[in-house]
C-alpha cells in the first residue's frame, strides 16, 4: 500500500490514467447494487469511463445550481430545519424522480454504492429507484448521480454545521469545511502496471496546497462540485438564518 499525503503527489496520481479505481465485480444479477456499480462511471476506466462520464456531465449541465440552492433552502424551511433527505430530494426532483420514497431508498443504497458491501435491503432500494425507468444507460446515470450525491452532500452539510453558528456567513463556513473537514477524506487507486494499492489522503494533501482536492482532480474529479455546493448552501442558509 502506497500512502500519498502531499498535494503535488496526490495531483500527479489523480491525473495519471495508469492509476485506476479498484475494480468492482462485473457478474452481479441485473438490477442489484453490485450490477449498478459495474455500470457506473465512478468505477469504470478508459473509453467506458469517458462515455459514462459524458452522460453524467450532460445531465448535470441541464440543472441550474442556483435553482437547486433555492429549492434546498425552501424545502429545509418548509421542514422546520430538518434538512436530512433535502439534498437528494431536490436533486431527485430535478432529475425527474417523483417517488415519495426517493430519499429513503437513496439513503439505504448509498453506503454500499461506495463501499461495495452487498445487502438485500440495498438491492431492494436500487430496484425502487429504477422502478418504471428501465435499466438503460440514461436510468443508470440518473440513479448513480443520486447515490454519489447522497452521503457526500449530507456529510458536507453535517461537517459545516458542527462548526458554524447561527448568523455565520454561509459561503465562508462552507469554504472552511471543504478545505479542513471534507466529507470524503480518502480516495483509492490501483496501479495498473504494478498492482500496487494507492491511498490518497485528501485531508493531509489539502494542508500543503493552494486549491483543495476535496472534489478530486485529474481524470475523474467530481463533476457536480457546483451542484453539491449549491445544495449545501441552500440547506445551510435555511438552518443558520432561521
Ligand atoms: C450533487 C451532489 C454530488 C454529485 C451528483 C456527485 C457526483 C459525482 C460523480 C458522478 C463522481 C464520479 C466521477 C467520474 O466517474 O468520473 C464523483 C466523484 C467525486 N465526488 Fe462527487 N458528487 C456530489 C457531491 C460531492 C461532494 C459534496 C463531495 C465532497 C465535498 C464530492 C466529492 C467527490 C470526489 C472526491 C470525487 C472523486 C473520487 C475519486 O477521484 O476517487 N462529491 N462525484
Amino acid at each position: 500500500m502506497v500512502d500519498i499525503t502531499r498535494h503535488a503527489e496526490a495531483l500527479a496520481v489523480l491525473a495519471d490514467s495508469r492509476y485506476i479505481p479498484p475494480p468492482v465485480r462485473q457478474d452481479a444479477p441485473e438490477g442489484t447494487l453490485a450490477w449498478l456499480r459495474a455500470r457506473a462511471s465512478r468505477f469504470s476506466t478508459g473509453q467506458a469511463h469517458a462515455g459514462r462520464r459524458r452522460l453524467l456531465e450532460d445531465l448535470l449541465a441541464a440543472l441550474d445550481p442556483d435553482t437547486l440552492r433555492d429549492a434546498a433552502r425552501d424545502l429545509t424551511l418548509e421542514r422546520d430545519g430538518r434538512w436530512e433527505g433535502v439534498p437528494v430530494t431536490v436533486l431527485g426532483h430535478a432529475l425527474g424522480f417523483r417517488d415519495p420514497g426517493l430519499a429513503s431508498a437513496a439513503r439505504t443504497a448509498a453506503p454500499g454504492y461506495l463501499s461495495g458491501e452487498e445487502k438485500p435491503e440495498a438491492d431492494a432500494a436500487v430496484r425502487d429507484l429504477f422502478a418504471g425507468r428501465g435499466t438503460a444507460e440514461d436510468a443508470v446515470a440518473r440513479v448513480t448521480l443520486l447515490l454519489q450525491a447522497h452521503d457526500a452532500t449530507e456529510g458536507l452539510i453535517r461537517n459545516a454545521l458542527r462548526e458554524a453558528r447561527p448568523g455565520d456567513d454561509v459561503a465562508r463556513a462552507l469554504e472552511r469545511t471543504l478545505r479542513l473537514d471534507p466529507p470524503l477524506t480518502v480516495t483509492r487507486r490501483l496501479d495498473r502496471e504494478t498492482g500496487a494499492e494507492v491511498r490518497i489522503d485528501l485531508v493531509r494533501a489539502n494542508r500543503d496546497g493552494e486549491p483543495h482536492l476535496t472534489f478530486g482532480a485529474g481524470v475523474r474529479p467530481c463533476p457536480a462540485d457546483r451542484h453539491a455546493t449549491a445544495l449545501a448552501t441552500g440547506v445551510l442558509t435555511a438552518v443558520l438564518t432561521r
Side-chain angles (χ1 to χ4, degrees), residues 71-90 103 107 149-162 231-232 234-240 242:
R73 181 199 58 208
D74 293 348
L75 189 57
T76 305
L77 290 172
E78 214 178 281
R79 293 183 177 180
D80 288 327
R82 286 184 301 276
W83 60 268
E84 270 139 341
V86 166
V88 81
T89 300
V90 168
R107 164 164 302 114
H150 189 278
D151 287 6
T153 310
E154 295 215 341
L156 175 60
I157 294 167
R158 203 166 292 118
N159 291 1
L161 286 173
R162 224 166 27 208
L231 289 166
V235 168
L236 291 170
T237 302
V239 173
L240 295 174
R242 235 156 34 102

